[in-house]
Every structure is written in C-alpha cells, then in structure tokens.
Amino acid sequence: MSTEKVDASHVLMNGECPGWNVNLDPASSDGSSSTADAGDEKMMKRETWTNKFDFLLACIGFSVGLGNVWRFPFLCYRNGGGAFLIPYFIAVVLGGIPVFFLEVTLGQFMSEGGIGPWKICPLFQGIGYASTVIVFLLNCDYNIILTWAFYYLFSSFTARLPWSHCDNEWNSPNCSTFRRHPNASDSENSTETMFNTTVANASYSIYSNLTGAAEVSGKLAPLMDPVTEFWERKVLLLSNDVGSPGRIKWDLALCLLLAWIVVYFCIWKGIKSSGKVMYFTATSPYVLMLVLLIRGVTLEGAVDGLKYYLLPDWNRLLDTQVWVDAGTQIFFSYSISLGTLTALGSYNKFHHNAWRDTICFALVNSVTSFLAGFVIFSVLGFMAFKQGVSVEDVAESGPGLAFIAYPEAVAQMPVAPLWSCLFFVMIILLGLDSQFVGVEGFVTAVVDMFPHFLRQGHRREIFIACVCTMSFFIGLSMVTEGGMYVFQLFDYYSASRIVLVVAFFECIVVAYIYGVNRFYDNLQMMLGFYLNPFMKICWMFLTPAFTLVIFIMGAITYSELIYERKTVNYVYPNWAISVGWMMASSSIVFIPGVMIFKLVTAKGTFMERLVTLTRPRLRRYQIRENEDLAKIEIIDDIYQNTNNVSSSIAGDQIQVTMSLLKTSTGTDDCEKNPSLFGSRTVTDSSPAIQS
C-alpha cells in the first residue's frame, strides 16, 4: 500500500474523485464486501433521525428510566444523603460524560451500530459483540418490569385497591392491616399488636402450606401486610425455591405478551417511527412526575422523608462502598457499554453536534434522578408518619419500591386508585422507551452485520418480530411461580459490573490503539470545531483509571446474590450462582475470544497479523487530512443510505473539490494520481455533507 499522505480536500468533500465509477455495494460490520446479484431486491436505505432533537430524546428515553426513580433516591439516602452528590458528580465527570460522548460519536463517525464501529481496531471487535450480548440479556429481563407494571395498572381500575385490605381470596390468615398510630400510646400499640399476632399465629400451623411462609429460627411467621401478600401471593404466586419453577402464570404471561407487542410496534418501522413515539414516551413521565411531586410534598410527614433523603452525612464519604455505588449508578443510568448508544449515534448525520447533546443529556439525567428522589421520599415520609415508624423502616429500592413501598403509600391516600394509575402509567412510560430503544440497539447491531440480507423488503420487520418472539419465550421463565428468582439472576449477573470492564477497553482502544489524536481530528471533522483537551485526558488516563478502580473496589466488596423478601432472605444454591456467572461471562468472553479467533485466522507472521488487525478500516470520507495511508485500510463499501449525498449536492461538491485541487496544484490530482485511493471504483459514501 502506498505510504503517501492524502490531502483532506481529495476525499472529505464528497468521498470520491470526479469521473470515478460509483459502487453502491454494501458492507457488513466487519468491513467485508457482500456483492448482490443484479437481480436481487434493492437494499433499503439506512435511516437518519428526522431532526436533531430526535437523537437527544432517544438518548434520554433510553437512559433515563426506572433506575433514576427507584435506585438513585435510595442510594442517595443510604450513602449519606446530600453528601452522596459529591462522589456522584465526580463519577459523572470522570466516567459518565466521557464514555457516553465516546460511544455516541464513535457510532456517528462510523455510521454503524453494535459491532461495526469497532472496525477502528478489528482486533477488539469483541467489544461490540460483548455489548450486543449484554443488551439482549437486559432486554429479556427489563420487559418483566413492564409486565408487572401493566398488571398493577390493570388492578388499579377499581374503587378499592386490592392491596389495601385483607379480604381477598389470596390473603393468608397472617394478613393484617394494622398500622401503628403516632398518637397512640406504646401500651395500646403493644396490646393491639399482641392480639393480632396471637390470632394470626393460632391458625398459622393449619394454613402454613397455603401461605408459603417460612419458619425462621423456630419462630412462627410474623404478620404480613396486604401489599406484600398481593405482590408475593397474587402477582408472583412465589414458590419456595429457584429449583421449583411451578407453572406459568397466564395472567402475567398475557401482560408480558402485551408489553412485547407494544415494543414491536414502536420500532418495527425503524427510527422514523420510534423517533416520533419518543416525543410522547420520553416527555410525558415528567408531567406525571411533577403531578406526583406536588401531591407528595403536600402530604403529612413529607418533610421528614425529604430530610432523610437530603441531610448530608459527611462521614459516609470515607466508606468505599459509597464510591462504588456512585460509579455503578452512573454507568447504569447512562446506559454505558450496552452498544445502544453507538447505535443511536450511528443514525446521526455526520456533522451533528453530539457534544452539545452530551451536555444536555447529562444535565437532564442528573436532574431527573434528583427530582425522582423528592417524588419518592415525600411519599415514603408520609407512609412512615401514618405507620408511626422511621423513614428508614419503609425505604426500599428496586422492585420493592415500585411494587411494595409506593403502592402501600398510595393505598393510604384519598382517591387511591387515581394516584395508583398515575404512578404505574409513569413507570410504564419510563420503562417503555428504555425497552424499545434497547431492542432497537440490538436489532441495529445485527442488521448492520448483514445489511445485504436484512435491509431488503420486509426482512427487517420480520427479524424484529423474531427477536421479540424469542425474547418473549425467554421471558416466560420469569413469569412462572419461581420466575422472580430467575429475574433476580438475570438482573444481578447479566450486566452487573461487566459494563465497567467493557468501558475500560473502549477507552484503551480509542486512546492508545486507534489513537486519541486521530479520534480528536475525526471529531473536528464532524463537529466543525476542536474540543478542549479534557476529553483526551479522560480517555487516556482518568476514565480508564476510574473504571478500573471502581471495578476492583466492587470486586472486593462483592457478595453473592441474596433475594431479600419481606420476612426472610433467600440464599441461592451454588448451581444457580454458577448459572449467573455463566450469564455474566457469556458477554465478556467475546473480547478475548474474538481477539484469539482473528489472530488465528489471519495470514502472515504474528507481528504482521497484529499490525493488520490493529489497522483501522475506514471509508474515504472518514480519512483525516494528511493521514498516513499505510496505517489504515480503506474500505469501499457502505450502506446506500439517507446520509449519502444527493446527486445535485455531490455535483456541487465535486466542483468545489476541483477548484481546491486546481488552486493548490494547478492540475487534477485525482486523475493524475488515482493510486492515492487504491481502486478507481469507490463508494458514494459521504454523509459528511449533510448537517
């Protein structure tokens, strides 16, 4: 290959030299050509966002979800209240913003999602495979949360919430609606508690098989509240063990089917349709959140809840677990290392200002998390006041907050069904866009691997239907009587702290193998201005160190999965833990696996293979000015997409290019020296013109 350097004016304007033939043959994600026969059906164009705001909404819809509502407020309360914001914002600056911006701009630069963007270093394309596996596993279990939310929403269409009383057929003799009144004396409360406990325990031995309650340390099971019984005995019909799956709960299975049908029709026509859906699903939760916030802060006891949420405990900053929680929360709430951000970025036009969107996204994400804390803890303060207990006794996170703590608080409000409906509609909308954008990320990764096959006719729609159907059948294992145990395994191990490892490799590859200076030049080509060097410092030093430290600290404090039920903690057997670790390793194993496979199958000596596999595979419009062509591999194939220049624009750019060349050299360098570009047959591959 020639070692001559190429001037950007030859290739950056429209991706081809005048008079050259145009080949519209698509390429797969690994850059290999896949020429179709002339009689084959025409490949459909690759879409771009209709307008600039679509991309930002998609990122907000995907990343701002249930984790902001049910995880951040609890972590903030547990880790020192307002003091937790210090490690949180440090994690935003060192981890969240740099990796988010890297993934989005990498997808935008390469115009591919999933595996394709890592053609910048084919040796590490396992990063793309790992991200694709992670997002597929998350898609399978995330829709279960929507399933439960649909179930609760449908159960709220009643004059009296079914979890507000013990008069239901599924309630056990241990069910009690007793609440400790703050104005009552301790002796009155003790007498009433003792009476209820005695009556309940008298019949416990008869009904123990029906209740499914456990006997702990030889003591009879305590009283159960109707909210917990609705959750465990009605919604889940929870079995005793992960090895006892029981039968499928068909009411939940139908809700799961509904959730997947909704997801399918949100994305089946691609980003043109899903981008429009996002205007509703990404914005309406904020309206509902504001309504619930106004209602929450006007309740008795709300101030006490907010104090627990915000009062700083500076001593907690010395606890390493606080910093681990801050780091992992940022990576989960920013949806980093899932491959979906690169997919969303790949639908941007080449000159889109992704830096502006990154800053806007970071602000919206953090403000949403902070606002959700007010919504949640104002209501938890009210519930603690009604029960006469501390906020600490009612605060929960995860599904326990959404399906036990908050419904219990709502049940004590006037016009309870209305507030219940509003809450679960908010949960559904927060989760829905995260779910269907996640599925879109997985679909984009696969379609970009096989564009010549999946971008013809209605094959993409059929493929999406197949993905949703397969995910539905996997999800059926989580709507059985033992399904909650399976869900916990998926939720704990499928992503876990593996995303930190993936993010670490992303930074290392871009900074040290592809070259941080080369990537900064690429950013300048796209954005039109040169970024300050802070991102460069982050990708080279700060972010890899941050992710590595958080991962190591998390590994030190690691504990095996325990399902914390209301009355007993379920410890998973060793075989189930092994399944969880297999699930976790199923993604990360692709990084060394793909590396070994490529080294074994490549030709030449080991060093020749290493050099070849670390050489970026770029299209002509992606080549920076004065690039050393010996250090890259030019690929001629690209999607025929809406990014591509129209013939009229291309003609104008050809004239501009010719003028630049003749001004600088006095001759047509493209015709004199076509060897600069390898072949005279090139691809019409310039999304660079559109802004």
Side-chain angles (χ1 to χ4, degrees):
M1 179 176 292
S2 171
T3 59
E4 293 184 78
K5 294 187 177 182
V6 57
D7 192 292
S9 61
H10 292 173
V11 292
L12 296 183
M13 299 300 295
N14 72 324
E16 65 183 39
C17 284
W20 287 19
N21 295 324
V22 175
N23 170 31
L24 294 177
D25 179 34
S28 62
S29 287
D30 62 1
S32 59
S33 178
S34 52
T35 305
D37 294 335
D40 285 355
E41 192 173 0
K42 182 180 179 181
M43 188 180 69
M44 297 177 65
K45 297 180 179 180
R46 196 177 195 276
E47 311 96 331
T48 57
W49 299 110
T50 303
N51 58 63
K52 298 177 181 180
F53 198 51
D54 289 357
F55 167 70
L56 180 59
L57 276 181
C59 290
I60 292 173
F62 176 59
S63 300
V64 178
L66 299 178
N68 300 75
V69 173
W70 72 21
R71 194 167 187 267
F72 173 83
F74 180 78
L75 290 179
C76 192
Y77 147 75
R78 189 180 72 180
N79 293 313
F84 180 70
L85 297 179
I86 294 177
Y88 174 82
F89 283 113
I90 290 176
V92 168
V93 174
L94 298 184
I97 292 178
V99 183
F100 180 92
F101 182 60
L102 185 150
E103 292 189 357
V104 165
T105 51
L106 183 60
Q108 179 174 320
F109 178 67
M110 298 299 290
S111 296
E112 292 185 68
I115 296 94
W118 297 103
K119 285 185 292 189
I120 63 170
C121 180
L123 186 65
F124 282 89
Q125 277 194 297
I127 294 174
Y129 286 99
S131 300
T132 303
V133 171
I134 291 173
V135 78
F136 175 77
L137 294 175
L138 288 179
N139 289 339
C140 291
D141 87 294
Y142 199 87
N143 226 16
I144 301 300
I145 301 173
L146 293 183
T147 299
W148 296 332
F150 274 120
Y151 192 97
Y152 270 80
L153 177 63
F154 297 148
S155 299
S156 300
F157 293 121
T158 177
R160 187 185 185 192
L161 293 177
W163 57 83
S164 64
H165 57 88
C166 293
D167 302 329
N168 304 292
E169 60 180 355
W170 60 81
N171 291 125
S172 73
N174 284 1
C175 183
S176 172
T177 57
F178 166 70
R179 295 286 181 271
R180 184 184 190 279
H181 300 288
N183 296 327
S185 66
D186 290 340
S187 60
E188 289 174 335
N189 282 309
S190 299
T191 301
E192 186 171 356
T193 303
M194 184 181 299
F195 174 77
N196 282 314
T197 305
T198 302
V199 172
N201 287 341
S203 56
Y204 172 77
S205 60
I206 300 176
Y207 293 98
S208 59
N209 289 333
L210 294 177
T211 63
E215 185 172 320
V216 184
S217 302
K219 297 180 181 180
L220 295 177
L223 294 176
M224 294 289 289
D225 59 89
V227 181
T228 301
E229 290 212 337
F230 178 79
W231 171 240
E232 292 190 353
R233 296 172 56 84
K234 174 60 175 174
V235 180
L236 302 179
L237 199 59
L238 196 61
S239 67
N240 293 323
D241 186 79
V242 66
S244 305
R247 67 181 187 275
I248 294 176
K249 286 194 84 272
W250 290 107
D251 47 359
L252 279 183
L254 290 176
C255 290
L256 177 62
L257 178 63
L258 172 63
W260 277 113
I261 290 174
V262 172
V263 168
Y264 175 76
F265 283 108
C266 284
I267 65 171
W268 72 313
K269 289 299 183 183
I271 63 168
K272 296 293 186 182
S273 59
S274 63
K276 299 299 180 291
V277 175
M278 209 73 65
Y279 278 87
F280 175 72
T281 58
T283 57
S284 54
Y286 289 95
V287 177
L288 298 175
M289 197 178 296
L290 182 61
V291 172
L292 292 172
L293 174 62
I294 295 172
R295 181 67 183 114
V297 296
T298 58
L299 295 169
E300 292 181 291
V303 174
D304 294 331
L306 296 180
K307 285 181 179 178
Y308 268 87
Y309 173 48
L310 293 175
L311 284 180
D313 179 4
W314 303 109
N315 294 327
R316 295 286 293 146
L317 294 179
L318 301 177
D319 188 350
T320 57
Q321 186 60 42
V322 174
W323 295 86
V324 172
D325 286 343
T328 53
Q329 170 62 17
I330 287 300
F331 275 76
F332 283 123
S333 65
Y334 277 53
S335 301
I336 287 170
S337 302
L338 304 182
T340 301
L341 294 178
T342 57
L344 296 179
S346 72
Y347 293 114
N348 281 335
K349 295 170 184 177
F350 193 77
H351 286 308
H352 181 80
N353 190 346
W355 174 247
R356 174 197 59 208
D357 287 348
T358 299
I359 301 302
C360 291
F361 169 83
L363 291 174
V364 172
N365 193 308
S366 298
V367 169
T368 303
S369 298
F370 196 64
L371 177 64
F374 284 87
V375 175
I376 298 301
F377 271 86
S378 61
V379 174
L380 292 181
F382 163 74
M383 185 169 70
F385 173 81
K386 296 288 287 185
Q387 297 183 22
V389 297
S390 169
V391 177
E392 184 178 0
D393 297 325
V394 297
E396 295 191 50
S397 67
L401 172 65
F403 301 109
I404 297 180
Y406 206 94
E408 184 176 1
V410 167
Q412 301 171 46
M413 295 181 186
V415 200
L418 171 63
W419 300 111
S420 179
C421 288
L422 288 177
F423 175 73
F424 286 109
V425 167
M426 182 189 74
I427 290 294
I428 289 171
L429 292 176
L430 279 172
L432 182 60
D433 46 11
S434 298
Q435 176 66 23
F436 71 69
V437 175
V439 176
E440 177 66 48
F442 174 79
V443 169
T444 298
V446 179
V447 170
D448 283 351
M449 288 181 68
F450 309 103
H452 53 287
F453 179 76
L454 292 176
R455 285 196 176 273
Q456 293 186 10
H458 297 286
R459 292 179 183 177
R460 188 178 188 276
E461 289 92 332
I462 295 172
F463 174 70
I464 295 174
C466 292
V467 170
C468 292
T469 302
M470 180 170 59
S471 301
F472 167 75
F473 281 111
I474 294 174
L476 286 179
S477 66
M478 289 175 257
V479 294
T480 61
E481 294 175 11
M484 185 60 175
Y485 302 109
V486 180
F487 171 82
Q488 293 281 346
L489 279 175
F490 265 82
D491 188 58
Y492 194 76
Y493 288 103
S494 59
S496 187
R497 297 180 178 90
I498 298 298
V499 295
L500 293 167
V501 179
V502 176
F504 172 81
F505 279 109
E506 288 179 350
C507 293
I508 294 299
V509 170
V510 169
Y512 295 103
I513 301 180
Y514 181 72
V516 70
N517 290 328
R518 175 188 279 154
F519 193 62
Y520 248 56
D521 290 340
N522 298 151
L523 293 176
Q524 194 273 335
M525 290 162 53
M526 292 190 294
L527 303 179
F529 59 89
Y530 207 76
L531 282 178
N532 68 68
F534 179 71
M535 284 293 104
K536 184 184 297 187
I537 296 171
C538 285
W539 293 331
M540 293 182 70
F541 308 110
L542 300 181
T543 304
F546 175 78
T547 55
L548 195 59
V549 168
I550 295 297
F551 178 78
I552 293 174
M553 292 168 61
I556 294 173
T557 59
Y558 169 80
S559 60
E560 298 291 2
L561 173 62
I562 296 177
Y563 175 30
E564 298 181 0
R565 297 174 58 182
K566 196 75 173 243
T567 57
V568 64
N569 291 341
Y570 174 76
V571 179
Y572 279 77
N574 290 333
W575 69 265
I577 298 297
S578 299
V579 171
W581 277 110
M582 290 174 61
M583 196 182 307
S585 60
S586 65
S587 57
I588 200 66
V589 72
F590 276 98
I591 296 179
V594 171
M595 184 184 302
I596 294 172
F597 175 79
K598 286 183 175 292
L599 284 172
V600 170
T601 56
K603 298 179 180 179
T605 65
F606 178 79
M607 288 306 300
E608 289 174 343
R609 299 179 189 187
L610 201 60
V611 169
T612 300
L613 292 173
T614 54
R615 182 182 295 146
R617 310 183 73 174
L618 303 177
R619 305 180 185 106
R620 284 168 173 75
Y621 72 89
Q622 296 166 333
I623 301 174
R624 62 176 176 171
E625 186 177 0
N626 296 324
E627 178 65 80
D628 186 349
L629 295 183
K631 295 182 179 180
I632 66 171
E633 181 178 341
I634 301 176
I635 54 176
D636 293 334
D637 307 314
I638 186 61
Y639 283 106
Q640 179 184 355
N641 55 36
T642 53
N643 279 345
N644 290 342
V645 188
S646 65
S647 58
S648 60
I649 297 178
D652 294 339
Q653 294 301 326
I654 288 173
Q655 294 178 7
V656 173
T657 304
M658 291 292 292
S659 299
L660 287 171
L661 293 173
K662 291 180 179 179
T663 299
S664 60
T665 65
T667 183
D668 188 344
D669 283 355
C670 286
E671 292 183 0
K672 283 184 61 178
N673 198 4
S675 62
L676 286 173
F677 303 95
S679 169
R680 288 180 58 87
T681 303
V682 300
T683 305
D684 181 9
S685 56
S686 178
I689 304 305
Q690 299 189 28
S691 61

